Amino acid sequence: MYTRAAATTVAALMGAGALVLPTTPAAAGTPAASSAAKPGAPLVVAHRGASAYAPENTFAAIDKARDMGFTWVENDVQRTKDGELVIMHDATLKRTTNVEQVFPDRAPWKVADFTAAEIAKLDAGSWFSPKYAGQRVPTLKQYMQRVSRNKQSLVFEFKKPELYPGIEKQGLRVLRQTGWLNKQHVKKKLVIQSFSADSVKTVHELRPDVKTGFLGTPAVADLPRYAKFSDQINATHTSISADYVKAIHALKGPHKKRLEIFTWTINDAPNAVRAARFGVDGIITNTPDVVRKAVRKG
């Protein structure tokens, strides 16, 4: 059952997100099962981790996805006042931490106005459920180490990159330092996405081998332009149709492979089945178990 906070979270988390492959449940501490539910089924990505069941963008959320048998998770990356990259969706800390209580005189509590040490003091779990009291906002380095330990794969999102000049180069540096830009990870375990076309272009220019995704729904006539720097067009599920998916698949991305589409944020069975029938390559969801079951029945 959802907690009350978890139920409201499903609505609050309707942003770009996480793909999780349909899999069989994996026990805690064991590698996640294979993601493919059946041939042709979309990849299921856990949006900010299994964020309907644990506080988003925390270790608890990605561990929960692991324990449910999901290989792929999604996150959001922003930068602190002193230049540390942290895992946070909103530009402010207000919704998902106790920052108002700890720093009552620091409104509007923007991520960019706090140091990494200050953010490390915050409780990022109690807003969701008392069960998760004491969860922290991970740094990107900490998060990547946890994803590695969990044997998971990642849809990595630069959130609001216009607020943080140079964040692409910095983020890639952390990925390199944590082993995520080696051949194995780049080929099979990593996608970097953003709502900013300029950010996606920058990533492609800095590391043309890395798989990229643009978050949005460009007009069909504009798709060839995006396909020059983006391997995926990751559109909200309310904006797509079978014809739109077909138009995406008719093109090749910068790596000369078929352009893909991951759609978001689907948290119910009927919309999961609808998107799967359109032929999407992945579904980003807060409720990966619901989507997995739906696309298996399909």
Side-chain angles (χ1 to χ4, degrees):
M1 296 292 293
Y2 298 150
T3 62
R4 182 174 62 84
T8 58
T9 302
V10 170
L13 292 178
M14 290 295 181
L19 285 163
V20 186
L21 287 170
T23 63
T24 55
T30 63
S34 168
S35 297
K38 62 181 180 180
L43 182 74
V44 182
V45 179
H47 187 219
R48 307 175 204 167
S51 55
Y53 310 111
E56 63 181 70
N57 279 327
T58 63
F59 288 167
I62 56 176
D63 290 352
K64 182 67 174 177
R66 174 203 64 198
D67 295 346
M68 295 171 75
F70 292 96
T71 304
W72 281 83
V73 296
E74 181 266 359
N75 71 357
D76 303 287
V77 179
Q78 300 199 52
R79 189 162 65 202
T80 67
K81 183 178 181 179
D82 55 341
E84 185 78 50
L85 298 185
V86 293
I87 309 303
M88 177 63 56
H89 176 270
D90 297 1
T92 78
L93 298 157
K94 181 178 178 180
R95 179 174 64 86
T96 59
T97 76
N98 63 339
V99 68
E100 288 184 87
Q101 288 72 48
V102 178
F103 299 104
D105 301 324
R106 302 275 294 276
W109 301 288
K110 293 179 181 179
V111 175
D113 290 340
F114 287 80
T115 67
E118 289 172 333
I119 291 175
K121 297 176 182 178
L122 302 177
D123 181 337
S126 292
W127 70 276
F128 187 88
S129 166
K131 175 182 176 180
Y132 293 107
Q135 284 290 309
R136 301 301 175 191
V137 176
T139 66
L140 177 58
K141 183 176 180 180
Q142 292 167 341
Y143 186 93
M144 298 312 302
Q145 291 169 341
R146 188 66 157 234
V147 174
S148 294
R149 194 181 85 176
N150 287 354
K151 302 185 186 304
Q152 290 169 310
S153 300
L154 181 64
V155 178
F156 174 115
E157 182 177 344
F158 283 115
K159 182 62 65 174
K160 298 186 182 295
E162 64 277 7
L163 299 178
Y164 312 109
I167 193 173
E168 296 87 3
K169 185 174 183 179
Q170 184 181 4
L172 287 168
R173 185 185 309 121
V174 175
L175 288 175
R176 185 178 67 251
Q177 292 169 347
T178 52
W180 275 75
L181 292 185
N182 64 22
K183 186 175 181 180
Q184 178 189 6
H185 285 83
V186 166
K187 187 175 181 180
K188 297 182 178 180
K189 297 176 69 69
L190 178 67
V191 177
I192 297 180
Q193 67 176 4
S194 179
F195 282 100
S196 166
D198 288 340
S199 185
V200 179
K201 286 180 185 177
T202 297
V203 171
H204 179 64
E205 290 167 359
L206 290 170
R207 284 295 303 234
D209 55 330
V210 170
K211 192 171 186 176
T212 54
F214 172 72
L215 285 160
T217 313
V220 170
D222 293 332
L223 289 174
R225 178 164 58 88
Y226 286 85
K228 292 179 180 179
F229 59 86
S230 186
D231 300 278
Q232 298 176 348
I233 302 297
N234 296 342
T236 175
H237 75 98
T238 57
S239 69
I240 65 172
S241 64
D243 286 342
Y244 190 74
V245 173
K246 185 177 179 180
I248 289 173
H249 286 163
L251 298 172
K252 290 186 177 180
H255 294 109
K256 308 306 178 186
K257 295 182 180 179
R258 189 185 72 166
L259 200 63
E260 297 178 344
I261 174 172
F262 285 176
T263 193
W264 49 273
T265 305
I266 296 178
N267 299 317
D268 64 282
N271 278 309
V273 171
R274 172 178 173 269
R277 289 175 178 170
F278 286 166
V280 301
D281 301 284
I283 295 176
I284 297 172
T285 173
N286 305 327
T287 56
D289 55 333
V290 173
V291 171
R292 175 174 59 194
K293 183 178 180 180
V295 300
R296 279 178 167 172
K297 289 182 176 180

